[in-house]
Amino acid sequence: MATSISTEQNQMIVTFDDVSVMPLVKKAITLMHGVKSVSIPKKKKLSPIEKSLQEIEHGEIHHAKDVDDMFKQILGPDYVLC
């Protein structure tokens, strides 16, 4: 008769609106009986291209009719072309 040991682990995913409470919740969960480990995965850093595509998806883009208009938007209405 063969015996097998299950390596399956039960997990729970918790989502937070306010990340400032995460360390407190992590500390509280680690004190509970039966908790083997608690980990907070690091947020994936987006590449410049991924960040640009995300900005387009969220509508975070600006339109300028020409270069002078672009600089006026960036530097303010007091911008004067030298």
Side-chain angles (χ1 to χ4, degrees):
M1 178 193 271
T3 59
S4 64
I5 299 173
S6 174
T7 58
E8 182 180 320
Q9 297 180 1
N10 296 315
Q11 297 181 354
M12 176 174 63
I13 298 173
V14 181
T15 305
F16 296 92
D17 287 332
D18 182 6
V19 296
S20 67
V21 299
M22 288 177 67
L24 296 171
V25 173
K26 180 180 177 182
K27 185 175 181 180
I29 290 174
T30 56
L31 298 174
M32 296 175 68
H33 177 70
V35 174
K36 183 176 180 181
S37 68
V38 177
S39 62
I40 299 174
K42 295 191 184 245
K43 196 172 186 180
K44 179 187 171 198
K45 186 175 180 180
L46 298 176
S47 71
I49 291 175
E50 291 171 324
K51 186 176 180 183
S52 298
L53 291 172
Q54 191 176 56
E55 289 172 354
I56 292 169
E57 283 180 18
H58 293 124
E60 300 170 3
I61 56 174
H62 300 277
H63 297 279
K65 59 184 174 193
D66 56 27
V67 174
D68 288 331
D69 185 37
M70 179 187 69
F71 279 111
K72 283 181 183 177
Q73 290 181 31
I74 295 169
L75 302 172
D78 296 333
Y79 165 74
V80 177
L81 180 63
C82 297

